[in-house]
Amino acid sequence: MRALLLGANGQLGRTFLDHGALAARTDLVSASRDGVLTAGGTGEVADLSMPESLPALLDRVQPDVIVNAAAYTAVDRAEQEEALATRVNGEAVGVLGQWAAAHGALVIHYSTDYVFDGSQAQPYAVDAPTAPVNAYGRSKLAGEEALRRSGTDHLIFRTAWVYAAHGHNFLRTMLRLGAERDELRVVADQHGAPTDTGLIVNATLAALARWQPASATERQTLRGTHHLVASGATTWHGFATAIFEQAVAHGLLPRAPHVLPIASGEFPTPAPRPAWSVLDNTLLQTRFGLTLPDWRDGLGNVVGEMARSARG
């Protein structure tokens, strides 16, 4: 089985490569926007901002599985670049789906909690009404809809509050600021489940292992949209507090800064954020026989990994 990994240099793509299991299980072809891989070596060129360029790549690689870990993720900048965000997150995903439908391939695609407006106070079910409140969310919803319209076999995994030991994310920002300041102000009225890329990779691989031997009838019950997030929930303030607790415990920081809770209105951003981003992950766990651990487990694993790396 040949797999094509798009977005190999992103947070999630790098974790797929570091993990190694996808490469061990498949004939893996990795692609980035310029063909250079952060992990070393060269791969294919896949620029999703030019959707018209993708069929030639797919014809050359002939993947059985397309893992789309590429995305436009600059949430605030998307307010000024919605057309570009929609090309990458929407139109390009439709092109992948159309090619896959014509060639009998499976598309694994990652979406976001931002397809919801965040107005409810209970975990969002997979089939809850979508109503994105910002350009990024609209672009990601466009990708979901285009992939479904293509008719191809697909697994759409909505995730949220994604972070890793590498890349640009809330965890790394907090660790940098915590080393520089004695006090931080962090939003305490937005709720979600911090989800590390290791959890996303492990769950994706488990889902793929369940998919491969399944009959056509079984695949009909597996395909579609699922919520792939850690269990439990917190706020950005709660996440920051837990980050510093773990960082001190693992020796990454000598002391934790004081973390003051603030309202979203005290930290305005160009793109509005959903107040409630908690996703119900029950369907994924039930359909694929998975257990998605509490978000604190993933945080401890990632901070521990960073501490070991810092020690050499």
Side-chain angles (χ1 to χ4, degrees), residues 1 4 43-44 64 66 76 94 97 103 111 120 128 165 173 175 216 221 272 279 281 290:
M1 179 178 69
L4 173 63
E44 293 283 349
D64 303 296
I66 301 168
D76 288 323
H103 294 80
S111 191
Q120 71 179 41
T173 298
L175 290 175
T221 68
L279 305 180
N281 59 20
L290 298 176

Side-chain angles (χ1 to χ4, degrees), residues 224-257:
T225 305
H226 301 273
H227 288 167
L228 201 176
V229 291
S231 296
T234 187
T235 63
W236 289 115
H237 176 269
F239 188 23
T241 301
I243 287 170
F244 294 129
E245 289 173 354
Q246 289 287 338
V248 171
H250 285 89
L252 280 179
L253 290 176
R255 50 96 187 105

